Amino acid sequence: MSKHFCPMPFVNLEARTDGSMSICCQMDELINDNGKNLSLTEDVLTDGWNSKWLANLRKDFIDGKKPKSCYSCWTAEDAGIDSKRQRALRDFPNALQDALDKKQHIKPKSMDLKLGNVCNNKCRICNSFASSLWVPEEKKRDGTNNLFWDRMRVVGRWPETNEEFWHDFEDLSDDLEVLEFYGGEPLLIKRHYDILQDLVDSGKSKDIKLLYNTNGSIYPERGLELWPHFKQVMLSWSFDGVGKQFEYIRHPAKWDEVQNNLQKVLDKNIPNIFVDICYTVGIFNIMYMEEILDWRDNFKADLPIYFNHVYTPEHFSCKVLPPKIKDAIVEHYKGNNHPDIVSSVKYCTDVNYDLEKLNMFYSQVKYSDEFRGENFGETFPEFYKLLKKYGNAPEDF
């Protein structure tokens, strides 16, 4: 009964950048009783928490089922990668027994709030779903052929238009133990600091752990004033490369600036604030994983590095690469026994490639290179040679 159990439907709610809701970042969207996706453009978090769809998902897990909508966790676990579900089991060790005892929480213990798509970076693996800065580039690239950008420039602002959301959050926050802020860039969302201030003023903050994922471009002055009042604060800095590769992947961020901001936070030495590095492995950096480890050693700070993986958009996942390039990746890391590198290589090479998605990768990289005045081949020369030799890369790539 417990083999496939996941705590998330029983303890967590997620608000997404487009206003959709889910129970975690790996899951399908919550659906209302009329079969339509719930949306924070007009609904509130409580509607998702009390929905029949979520009640049915909870029942599936109690009954020992393995929901298809949780495929990303099942895929990661098959590759030996620590999945969201497995981490949740460690974070909420009593969730299974509480579920079996029918001790359903009236209010969530955890929330993952992505408060719109406002962001000052437009990372290569991203799009307007998570970054407002992508909208002008997508508009010029796609025009009326794909109006996703047009939708996101409206729904990505849902926290500014749904005032009821903020009141509902206050009512729903009584049992909170974990509060996550992702993005967009969460440190750009000024109103999220109001949430923190209210939690401090109410006395709830001392029992709450905060988690952030930041692009590192902003020095969090107000955060450093409020965060010491919380039980614990985890700041995860997104570094998907080093030097010019970081700047290419996370345009227009500057490598020296984000390192400087990181160092300034570390120098504060606030006891309840912990920092780590999130390295998202995808098609751009699969050949360069050792470099982030070397950087960490030279940075002379005890920084844990968490290796994440690109699931979507699929054309930026290293899974789309052809067999000969995957063979070259395996050979490149031969003898490297770092567990995260081993599992990342296995994840990359487990599934056969997809030529259609690989061609989409080439097309979008070429367009963005021209739009931004950048050059993939000059930034990733070793990997570029492999793509030209074994990757069906077009002549003008």
Side-chain angles (χ1 to χ4, degrees), residues 177 204-210 227-233 271-274:
E177 297 176 4
K204 297 176 185 176
S205 61
K206 67 182 185 301
D207 299 316
I208 296 175
K209 177 179 178 180
L210 300 179
W227 292 337
H229 298 280
F230 286 80
K231 182 178 181 179
Q232 189 181 84
V233 181
N272 72 322
I273 296 179
F274 301 88

Short mmCIF file of all heavy atoms in Angstrom, two decimals, residues 177 204-210 227-233 271-274:
data_model
loop_
_atom_site.label_atom_id
_atom_site.label_comp_id
_atom_site.label_asym_id
_atom_site.label_seq_id
_atom_site.Cartn_x
_atom_site.Cartn_y
_atom_site.Cartn_z
N GLU A 177 4.14 24.97 7.68
CA GLU A 177 5.47 24.62 8.16
C GLU A 177 6.54 24.96 7.13
O GLU A 177 7.69 25.21 7.47
CB GLU A 177 5.54 23.13 8.49
CG GLU A 177 4.61 22.69 9.60
CD GLU A 177 4.65 21.19 9.83
OE1 GLU A 177 5.47 20.51 9.16
OE2 GLU A 177 3.86 20.69 10.64
N LYS A 204 3.71 33.61 13.56
CA LYS A 204 3.77 32.31 12.87
C LYS A 204 5.16 32.01 12.31
O LYS A 204 5.53 30.85 12.12
CB LYS A 204 2.76 32.27 11.73
CG LYS A 204 1.30 32.40 12.14
CD LYS A 204 0.40 32.46 10.90
CE LYS A 204 -1.05 32.71 11.25
NZ LYS A 204 -1.89 32.85 10.04
N SER A 205 5.94 33.04 12.03
CA SER A 205 7.19 32.88 11.28
C SER A 205 8.17 31.94 11.98
O SER A 205 8.92 31.22 11.31
CB SER A 205 7.86 34.24 11.06
OG SER A 205 8.17 34.86 12.29
N LYS A 206 8.17 31.92 13.30
CA LYS A 206 9.15 31.10 14.03
C LYS A 206 8.98 29.61 13.78
O LYS A 206 9.89 28.81 14.05
CB LYS A 206 9.06 31.40 15.52
CG LYS A 206 7.76 30.97 16.19
CD LYS A 206 7.73 31.33 17.66
CE LYS A 206 6.50 30.80 18.37
NZ LYS A 206 5.23 31.30 17.77
N ASP A 207 7.82 29.20 13.26
CA ASP A 207 7.55 27.78 13.00
C ASP A 207 7.62 27.44 11.51
O ASP A 207 7.29 26.32 11.12
CB ASP A 207 6.15 27.42 13.52
CG ASP A 207 6.02 27.63 15.02
OD1 ASP A 207 6.96 27.24 15.75
OD2 ASP A 207 5.00 28.20 15.44
N ILE A 208 8.03 28.40 10.67
CA ILE A 208 7.96 28.21 9.22
C ILE A 208 9.35 28.22 8.60
O ILE A 208 10.18 29.08 8.89
CB ILE A 208 7.10 29.32 8.57
CG1 ILE A 208 5.65 29.21 9.07
CG2 ILE A 208 7.13 29.21 7.04
CD1 ILE A 208 4.75 30.35 8.58
N LYS A 209 9.56 27.25 7.72
CA LYS A 209 10.78 27.17 6.93
C LYS A 209 10.50 27.77 5.56
O LYS A 209 9.53 27.42 4.90
CB LYS A 209 11.20 25.70 6.78
CG LYS A 209 12.43 25.46 5.93
CD LYS A 209 12.76 23.97 5.87
CE LYS A 209 13.94 23.69 4.99
NZ LYS A 209 14.26 22.23 4.93
N LEU A 210 11.37 28.68 5.11
CA LEU A 210 11.24 29.32 3.80
C LEU A 210 12.24 28.71 2.82
O LEU A 210 13.38 28.44 3.19
CB LEU A 210 11.50 30.83 3.89
CG LEU A 210 10.60 31.67 4.79
CD1 LEU A 210 11.06 33.12 4.76
CD2 LEU A 210 9.15 31.56 4.37
N TRP A 227 14.14 37.52 7.23
CA TRP A 227 14.43 36.09 7.30
C TRP A 227 14.92 35.60 8.66
O TRP A 227 14.59 34.47 9.06
CB TRP A 227 15.43 35.70 6.21
CG TRP A 227 14.86 35.83 4.83
CD1 TRP A 227 13.54 35.79 4.47
CD2 TRP A 227 15.60 36.02 3.62
NE1 TRP A 227 13.41 35.95 3.11
CE2 TRP A 227 14.65 36.09 2.56
CE3 TRP A 227 16.96 36.13 3.31
CZ2 TRP A 227 15.04 36.27 1.23
CZ3 TRP A 227 17.34 36.32 2.00
CH2 TRP A 227 16.40 36.38 0.97
N PRO A 228 15.68 36.38 9.44
CA PRO A 228 16.10 35.88 10.74
C PRO A 228 14.96 35.55 11.70
O PRO A 228 15.16 34.83 12.68
CB PRO A 228 16.95 37.05 11.31
CG PRO A 228 17.48 37.73 10.08
CD PRO A 228 16.34 37.67 9.10
N HIS A 229 13.74 36.03 11.40
CA HIS A 229 12.58 35.76 12.26
C HIS A 229 11.93 34.41 11.94
O HIS A 229 10.99 34.01 12.64
CB HIS A 229 11.54 36.87 12.12
CG HIS A 229 12.05 38.22 12.54
ND1 HIS A 229 12.12 38.61 13.86
CD2 HIS A 229 12.53 39.26 11.80
CE1 HIS A 229 12.61 39.83 13.93
NE2 HIS A 229 12.87 40.26 12.70
N PHE A 230 12.40 33.72 10.90
CA PHE A 230 11.81 32.45 10.51
C PHE A 230 12.63 31.28 11.06
O PHE A 230 13.80 31.43 11.43
CB PHE A 230 11.70 32.36 8.99
CG PHE A 230 10.59 33.23 8.44
CD1 PHE A 230 10.77 34.60 8.26
CD2 PHE A 230 9.35 32.68 8.15
CE1 PHE A 230 9.75 35.41 7.80
CE2 PHE A 230 8.31 33.48 7.67
CZ PHE A 230 8.51 34.85 7.50
N LYS A 231 12.01 30.12 11.10
CA LYS A 231 12.66 28.94 11.63
C LYS A 231 13.93 28.62 10.86
O LYS A 231 14.98 28.31 11.44
CB LYS A 231 11.69 27.75 11.57
CG LYS A 231 12.25 26.45 12.14
CD LYS A 231 11.18 25.36 12.08
CE LYS A 231 11.72 24.05 12.67
NZ LYS A 231 10.67 22.99 12.64
N GLN A 232 13.83 28.68 9.54
CA GLN A 232 14.98 28.37 8.68
C GLN A 232 14.70 28.96 7.30
O GLN A 232 13.54 29.05 6.88
CB GLN A 232 15.18 26.86 8.57
CG GLN A 232 16.45 26.44 7.88
CD GLN A 232 16.57 24.92 7.80
OE1 GLN A 232 16.03 24.29 6.90
NE2 GLN A 232 17.26 24.34 8.76
N VAL A 233 15.76 29.37 6.62
CA VAL A 233 15.63 29.90 5.26
C VAL A 233 16.65 29.20 4.38
O VAL A 233 17.84 29.18 4.69
CB VAL A 233 15.86 31.43 5.21
CG1 VAL A 233 15.70 31.94 3.78
CG2 VAL A 233 14.91 32.16 6.15
N PRO A 271 22.70 32.74 11.17
CA PRO A 271 22.66 31.31 11.54
C PRO A 271 21.55 30.49 10.89
O PRO A 271 21.74 29.31 10.61
CB PRO A 271 22.50 31.35 13.07
CG PRO A 271 23.05 32.68 13.47
CD PRO A 271 22.73 33.62 12.35
N ASN A 272 20.36 31.11 10.67
CA ASN A 272 19.24 30.31 10.16
C ASN A 272 19.11 30.36 8.64
O ASN A 272 18.16 29.84 8.07
CB ASN A 272 17.93 30.77 10.79
CG ASN A 272 17.46 32.13 10.28
OD1 ASN A 272 18.29 33.02 10.05
ND2 ASN A 272 16.17 32.30 10.09
N ILE A 273 20.07 31.01 7.96
CA ILE A 273 20.03 31.11 6.50
C ILE A 273 21.07 30.18 5.89
O ILE A 273 22.25 30.25 6.22
CB ILE A 273 20.28 32.55 6.03
CG1 ILE A 273 19.16 33.46 6.53
CG2 ILE A 273 20.36 32.62 4.50
CD1 ILE A 273 19.32 34.93 6.13
N PHE A 274 20.61 29.29 5.03
CA PHE A 274 21.47 28.31 4.38
C PHE A 274 21.39 28.50 2.87
O PHE A 274 20.33 28.81 2.32
CB PHE A 274 21.04 26.89 4.76
CG PHE A 274 21.09 26.63 6.23
CD1 PHE A 274 19.99 26.93 7.04
CD2 PHE A 274 22.23 26.11 6.82
CE1 PHE A 274 20.03 26.70 8.41
CE2 PHE A 274 22.28 25.88 8.18
CZ PHE A 274 21.18 26.18 8.99
#
